[in-house]
Amino acid sequence: MCRVEALLKLHQLDDAESSLSVVPKLESCSNSLQTKYFGMLAEAYIFFVQAQVEMALGRFENAVTAAEKAGQVDPRNVEAAVLLNNVRLVARARARGNDLFKSERFTEACSAYGDGLRLDPSNSILYCNRAACWFKLGRWERSIEDCDQALSIQPNYIKALLRRAACNSKLERWAEAVRDYEVLRRELPDDNEVAESLFHAQVALKKSRGEEVYNMKFGGEVEEVCSLEQFRAAISLPGISVVHFKMASNLQCKQISPFVDALCGRYPSINFLKVDINESPVIANAENVRIVPTFKIYKNGNRVKEMVCPSREMLEHSVRHYSF
């Protein structure tokens, strides 16, 4: 439990929750029930720390229950009593904020969540909830500030990332929006709304940099190229084209092909192509491809990168680099 509490103070919430789940039951060592840790009975200390973890993870009702149990086990402990009072007040502030938000009284909801944060200034849930209010009020900068606070406490907090990305889009900060949507795309690979938001942010970023954007639409797939004329036309399109030279019988090609399909969805502003060198030897000869899998990246018809048997990490790093 000391370890759990330490992880909690370091904002390593996933590790804290994982460690909490393997704490042994005290029933199996009942002779330890009267042992005190930092002046608190052992069983009370377990509930005391559990309440803090539940609060940090946004499970407010569970936090109140755990804090109440800590107080029942060790009713004379001042620290347990203070925590119980604090947890009840924070849970009440959050519930009041939620009710006000549902009633579209966003300014008052901000104030309610703020009351909770004054009592629990490291609560990422309350920061994210208040960020939602600022978003509804059109206060994009304030919303980003609260999302930043939430993410500094809980770095992979999906709701905070979604909210910050949406705010950056509203402010036309396209590079920041793309960065958040790319993280979300990795975390939520099957979420079509995230994929589409990423695509539109990538297109807007290109336009903001003065790049010409033609015939770009959401929902592309890896295009199979069979003739040299088709190949040259495809790589000459405006923007970036990534070509996967492969053989159907090659094991490495079979292993990396699903990843290329995933990249196509993850980076929809890029044109992905595939060429089977056995079926299209003219293209392979023209591009001097002898080993597969080989990947070549073209920009406006000019080759800018070539990779032979790259790792997935290297391939995605290169694709991401040229997507900007």
Side-chain angles (χ1 to χ4, degrees):
M1 294 311 294
C2 288
R3 174 182 172 79
V4 173
E5 192 169 22
L7 289 166
L8 183 64
K9 293 183 185 301
L10 290 168
H11 302 315
Q12 296 178 23
L13 303 187
D14 290 341
D15 290 338
E17 183 179 31
S18 177
S19 295
L20 183 64
S21 68
V22 298
V23 172
K25 300 293 183 183
L26 276 181
E27 289 83 354
S28 62
C29 45
S30 57
N31 59 329
S32 299
L33 289 175
Q34 297 307 308
T35 301
K36 289 192 173 184
Y37 294 95
F38 315 113
M40 189 180 298
L41 288 173
E43 189 178 8
Y45 181 57
I46 289 177
F47 289 127
F48 177 82
V49 177
Q50 182 185 352
Q52 295 177 71
V53 173
E54 298 284 8
M55 180 65 74
L57 292 169
R59 299 193 287 251
F60 293 85
E61 293 77 12
N62 292 353
V64 171
T65 299
E68 287 174 344
K69 288 179 178 178
Q72 292 164 5
V73 171
D74 198 348
R76 295 183 179 180
N77 187 276
V78 174
E79 199 173 0
V82 169
L83 176 69
L84 175 57
N85 183 61
N86 193 63
V87 166
R88 282 174 171 167
L89 290 173
V90 173
R92 203 170 298 153
R94 182 254 196 166
R96 187 168 68 254
N98 287 355
D99 289 340
L100 290 165
F101 186 89
K102 289 174 185 175
S103 300
E104 299 186 2
R105 295 159 65 182
F106 303 121
T107 301
E108 293 171 76
C110 276
S111 179
Y113 293 132
D115 291 341
L117 284 166
R118 278 187 284 277
L119 294 163
D120 188 7
S122 294
N123 196 292
S124 58
I125 309 300
L126 295 178
Y127 277 118
C128 192
N129 286 358
R130 192 170 67 177
C133 298
W134 294 129
F135 185 88
K136 290 290 188 180
L137 292 166
R139 304 284 297 277
W140 323 122
E141 296 276 8
R142 294 295 298 273
S143 185
I144 288 173
E145 288 173 9
D146 275 352
C147 288
D148 287 343
Q149 289 283 359
L151 289 163
S152 70
I153 298 164
Q154 199 172 341
N156 294 321
Y157 192 179
I158 297 298
K159 282 187 178 179
L161 281 167
L162 283 167
R163 205 147 282 149
R164 188 171 70 181
C167 288
N168 279 317
S169 295
K170 291 287 187 181
L171 292 166
E172 298 186 0
R173 295 175 180 170
W174 301 116
E176 291 86 345
V178 166
R179 185 173 60 242
D180 280 342
Y181 280 128
E182 285 182 339
V183 174
L184 288 161
R185 189 75 177 120
R186 289 192 291 272
E187 295 292 325
L188 305 169
D190 298 322
D191 192 310
N192 200 55
E193 287 187 20
V194 169
E196 188 166 1
S197 295
L198 170 59
F199 169 72
H200 290 306
Q202 287 173 328
V203 172
L205 177 60
K206 288 178 180 292
K207 289 181 177 178
S208 72
R209 290 174 171 172
E211 296 181 33
E212 294 183 350
V213 178
Y214 298 104
N215 301 322
M216 295 186 68
K217 60 183 181 180
F218 173 71
E221 59 183 26
V222 181
E223 178 186 354
E224 187 164 7
V225 177
C226 300
S227 71
L228 186 58
E229 294 74 17
Q230 182 189 5
F231 173 79
R232 287 176 174 164
I235 65 170
S236 297
L237 290 172
I240 300 297
S241 298
V242 176
V243 184
H244 176 200
F245 293 92
K246 58 189 277 293
M247 283 195 303
S249 59
N250 182 274
L251 179 59
Q252 282 184 283
C253 292
K254 289 180 179 179
Q255 290 173 336
I256 204 165
S257 286
F259 184 66
V260 177
D261 292 337
L263 290 179
C264 184
R266 198 174 297 162
Y267 299 93
S269 64
I270 288 181
N271 184 31
F272 283 85
L273 311 168
K274 58 185 176 183
V275 176
D276 190 307
I277 68 170
N278 281 343
E279 296 180 3
S280 306
V282 175
I283 301 176
N285 289 333
E287 291 298 307
N288 196 29
V289 176
R290 299 287 180 269
I291 302 172
V292 292
T294 288
F295 290 86
K296 297 191 180 188
I297 301 178
Y298 301 82
K299 184 174 183 179
N300 301 326
N302 298 312
R303 188 175 69 246
V304 294
K305 179 86 173 182
E306 179 173 347
M307 294 165 283
V308 178
C309 301
S311 66
R312 294 186 176 196
E313 293 74 18
M314 179 188 296
L315 177 58
E316 180 163 16
H317 176 78
S318 297
V319 169
R320 186 180 186 281
H321 173 76
Y322 286 103
S323 70
F324 289 104

